[in-house]
Amino acid sequence: MVSLKFFSLASSLCSSPSKTVKSSLDFELKKLGGCTKLTRNVNLEKLKNSYLFPEISRRELEHVAKYPNVRLISLGTGDTTEPIPKKITTDMSNFAHALSTVEGYRGYGLEQGDEALRKAIANTFYGHLHVKSNEVFVSDGAQSDISRLQVLLGSGVTIAVQDPTFPAYIDSSVIIGQTGYFHEATKKYQNVVYMPCGPTNSFFPDLAVTPRTDVIFFCSPNNPTGYVASKKQLHQLVDFAKTNGSIIIFDSAYAAFIEDGSPRSIYEIPGAREVAIEISSFSKFAGFTGVRLGWTIIPDELLYSNGFPIINDFHRIVTTSFNGASNIAQAGGLACLSSVGLKEIGSVINYYKENRKILMETLVSLGLTVYGGVNAPYLWVHFKGSKSWDVFAEILENTHIITVPGSGFGPGGEEYLRISGFGRRDDIVEASKRLQSFFTTRTKHFPLFSSPSNNN
């Protein structure tokens, strides 16, 4: 395999390689087939390193190679671990078997999704909010829809993101051409408004000092901090968007974990249908991380400045670039939203909630400041005065536990780790024991612990 470092070198040397590297470079280029005359997409050159989660996977593989006999525990990437409930897999299996019959065979479906599933999503999650089935676009997951929405928005818009934030919002903005270059000193991209969301402002941006942008990416419950916005806060956000003529892209992928009555949809806020798009997913809600199924809501009332309905353009993009979600996955989605499916899914969500409770109690007992962990599956743990990648590496080396360094979510994530409640119970219990042993004996490595707190 040729390293990324080599590709960077080759990019700059294809036209005029220096004598000192020419012989080895020629050998590598022959293996690759040499250079074309195609210039690299400048937006891809702007991207900073690799995407966060593949980088964590790379370090995980290195650790496994170094310690082949240890039991590695992942509390990092938010992948679900519990089996999908039998009602749901049975319906998917029956649908798949029916494809081998004349009566049950199905080919292409509607690119925007099966009508029965679109109605079920509208009724189950938005029944009291007047979302219509034609406003629901079924997809192969929320992350895919983020990219499709970027195609809709185009390169000419300005964006704002929470800081810290889910990295796909920024990276997709870079790729589509909405940003400038990355500044190493600030750890920020040019032409992006970073809205600080931390303990000092209750993890909600100070909109009084936030400049206007065309688009605002907002995730609640938030990934990575685990915080959920209150109804009052979302009222402020919607009013801010209406005043500025902005569009909110609201990510509600973790809404099923909300326990305190906070809004699960932006459309619970009056006026949101005029300024907001909502994306969500079956991934964490139903364990469909590998099955792949999600949806996006675009209300009829959401209009461009010239009065043209945005839903019309998104429909055009979807029907041009996407052949629709797997019909087997959509059969599973329908099963999820049946009365039996919802009950069984609720049991699995409760299992993850108990995991997060075990981790929360362990970390707080050690004197760590822990945020989140109530309305979301993630805990946001503060290591004051430390570099997050250093803490990640120290914990991995000494406990064989994977976490996620907070700086991977933006400059506001420095000094933090994201720890996930997704996992098998025996792994969660074992991880808690290892963390307790490590921090009890190794506090000299992290001398600046804050007092325990959890304000969500």
Side-chain angles (χ1 to χ4, degrees), residues 398-449:
N398 289 279
T399 70
H400 310 296
I401 295 172
I402 295 286
T403 57
V404 181
S407 61
F409 299 98
E414 191 61 277
E415 300 187 356
Y416 290 86
L417 288 185
R418 192 194 77 175
I419 295 180
S420 171
F422 292 116
R424 304 305 306 271
R425 183 63 48 78
D426 57 342
D427 281 343
I428 296 295
V429 172
E430 174 62 21
S432 296
K433 291 177 181 177
R434 292 184 193 180
L435 291 169
Q436 191 165 38
S437 175
F438 172 65
F439 285 116
T440 299
T441 59
R442 300 292 294 277
T443 54
K444 67 181 190 301
H445 288 270
F446 305 105
L448 299 175
F449 285 173

Side-chain angles (χ1 to χ4, degrees), residues 305-317:
S305 59
N306 65 357
F308 190 81
I310 292 177
I311 190 174
N312 291 3
D313 276 355
F314 193 67
H315 182 277
R316 183 69 169 86
I317 288 168

Side-chain angles (χ1 to χ4, degrees), residues 314-326:
F314 193 67
H315 182 277
R316 183 69 169 86
I317 288 168
V318 168
T319 55
T320 299
S321 63
F322 185 51
N323 276 338
S326 159

Side-chain angles (χ1 to χ4, degrees), residues 138-426:
V138 176
S139 71
D140 53 346
Q143 191 151 340
S144 298
D145 275 347
I146 291 169
S147 294
R148 293 186 189 103
L149 287 171
Q150 293 287 25
V151 174
L152 172 78
L153 299 169
S155 61
V157 301
T158 54
I159 67 164
V161 297
Q162 294 159 287
D163 181 26
T165 192
F166 182 51
Y169 308 144
I170 291 181
D171 283 11
S172 62
S173 297
V174 174
I175 291 170
I176 203 70
Q178 297 164 355
T179 76
Y181 283 91
F182 184 80
H183 277 187
E184 191 62 44
T186 63
K187 307 297 182 184
K188 296 179 180 180
Y189 281 95
Q190 294 173 309
N191 304 335
V192 176
V193 172
Y194 290 76
M195 303 183 295
C197 294
T200 58
N201 60 3
S202 300
F203 292 87
F204 186 80
D206 183 353
L207 298 177
V209 298
T210 300
R212 183 209 174 268
T213 58
D214 298 312
V215 179
I216 304 166
F217 285 95
F218 198 89
C219 182
S220 179
N222 182 263
N223 179 13
T225 66
Y227 265 71
V228 64
S230 68
K231 197 163 192 173
K232 179 180 179 181
Q233 289 171 332
L234 291 181
H235 268 288
Q236 295 172 7
L237 183 64
V238 168
D239 289 344
F240 180 77
K242 293 185 76 170
T243 297
N244 289 300
S246 306
I247 291 177
I248 302 164
I249 297 180
F250 188 82
D251 186 342
S252 63
Y254 298 95
F257 289 86
I258 295 176
E259 297 181 341
D260 65 1
S262 297
R264 295 190 174 197
S265 168
I266 190 66
Y267 302 124
E268 294 182 39
I269 309 304
R273 288 178 57 86
E274 299 171 17
V275 294
I277 294 169
E278 182 163 313
I279 55 176
S280 199
S281 171
F282 285 84
S283 288
K284 311 303 165 66
F285 161 66
F288 272 33
T289 52
V291 177
R292 308 306 307 146
L293 195 66
W295 70 89
T296 288
I297 308 292
I298 301 191
D300 290 334
E301 295 96 315
L302 189 63
L303 308 175
Y304 290 109
S305 59
N306 65 357
F308 190 81
I310 292 177
I311 190 174
N312 291 3
D313 276 355
F314 193 67
H315 182 277
R316 183 69 169 86
I317 288 168
V318 168
T319 55
T320 299
S321 63
F322 185 51
N323 276 338
S326 159
N327 48 25
I328 299 173
Q330 292 190 77
L334 269 174
C336 289
L337 303 184
S338 68
S339 58
V340 174
L342 288 169
K343 182 178 179 181
E344 292 183 349
I345 286 170
S347 296
V348 178
I349 291 173
N350 287 336
Y351 180 94
Y352 293 131
K353 289 179 178 179
E354 182 63 23
N355 283 352
R356 124 198 122 180
K357 180 181 177 183
I358 293 168
L359 290 169
M360 172 74 79
E361 291 175 350
T362 298
L363 295 169
V364 169
S365 74
L366 294 168
L368 289 162
T369 298
V370 184
Y371 300 99
V374 176
N375 291 302
Y378 301 126
L379 300 106
W380 190 237
V381 189
H382 194 198
F383 296 87
K384 187 177 179 181
S386 300
K387 295 289 188 181
S388 59
W389 276 108
D390 291 345
V391 182
F392 166 90
E394 183 79 6
I395 290 176
L396 177 59
E397 180 68 22
N398 289 279
T399 70
H400 310 296
I401 295 172
I402 295 286
T403 57
V404 181
S407 61
F409 299 98
E414 191 61 277
E415 300 187 356
Y416 290 86
L417 288 185
R418 192 194 77 175
I419 295 180
S420 171
F422 292 116
R424 304 305 306 271
R425 183 63 48 78
D426 57 342

